[in-house]
Amino acid sequence: SAVIGSVVLTLSWSYFTLSSVVLQYFNCVQTTAGHVMASNPDTPCWDWEYFGEANRHSTLFPWAVLCVVLYPIGIPVYFAFVLVKSMKWVAVKDAVNLTPEENKKRMTYMRRYGVLYKRYEAEAWWWELTNLARKLVMSLARQVLSNPLEQLVVV
């Protein structure tokens, strides 16, 4: 239980960084030599003619898509699943009405996933998803907008 809770907390805290790093793959800029990765100007972008040969960007495309599905999309989907499932336990204010077995399940679930909703009122159990959405918008703005002032306005 404690390990799962630690993993959930780490995913929540590192979501912005993980999303930003994964999305860097898609951040290409136009230069005189063509489109190149902003994070690695020696690597040309979207050069499918040399797929798998010397073009590192094209070779990494399947991995980049997998990472986008796992991190910027997968973490919020997983948290939404956990939060919807936890509504049953969040609504319980008084454990006196629960059977010992139900109370044990409730406590186990709270130890594992309470970090996602214990900071908020019971009616705002979904607020962690709002935080993840905000972090995703900041990650996208960081990749899409090159001007720091534009990034500040979006955030």
Side-chain angles (χ1 to χ4, degrees), residues 106-124:
R106 175 180 169 263
M107 294 306 292
T108 300
Y109 205 83
M110 287 179 67
R111 265 193 306 271
R112 286 181 181 170
Y113 304 111
V115 71
L116 296 177
Y117 60 84
K118 281 201 287 191
R119 296 177 288 182
Y120 311 112
E121 297 291 328
E123 299 80 29

Side-chain angles (χ1 to χ4, degrees), residues 8-16 75-80 82-83 86 113-121 123-136:
V8 168
L9 182 62
T10 302
L11 287 174
S12 178
W13 283 349
S14 63
Y15 180 73
F16 174 75
I75 292 173
V77 168
Y78 172 65
F79 283 7
V82 166
L83 287 169
S86 73
Y113 304 111
V115 71
L116 296 177
Y117 60 84
K118 281 201 287 191
R119 296 177 288 182
Y120 311 112
E121 297 291 328
E123 299 80 29
W125 57 267
W126 48 269
W127 195 251
E128 186 65 27
L129 297 176
T130 304
N131 284 336
L132 289 180
R134 182 181 56 86
K135 292 174 184 178
L136 182 59

Side-chain angles (χ1 to χ4, degrees), residues 10-77:
T10 302
L11 287 174
S12 178
W13 283 349
S14 63
Y15 180 73
F16 174 75
T17 304
L18 287 171
S19 296
S20 295
V21 168
V22 167
L23 293 171
Q24 278 182 357
Y25 171 87
F26 300 98
N27 188 9
C28 296
V29 293
Q30 179 68 36
T31 64
T32 54
H35 283 89
V36 295
M37 290 182 71
S39 60
N40 186 2
D42 294 335
T43 305
C45 287
W46 313 117
D47 193 357
W48 299 106
E49 184 176 331
Y50 302 105
F51 183 78
E53 290 178 14
N55 189 339
R56 182 200 229 162
H57 190 265
S58 300
T59 305
L60 292 176
F61 180 74
W63 292 105
V65 171
L66 176 66
C67 288
V68 166
V69 169
L70 286 176
Y71 296 112
I73 296 171
I75 292 173
V77 168

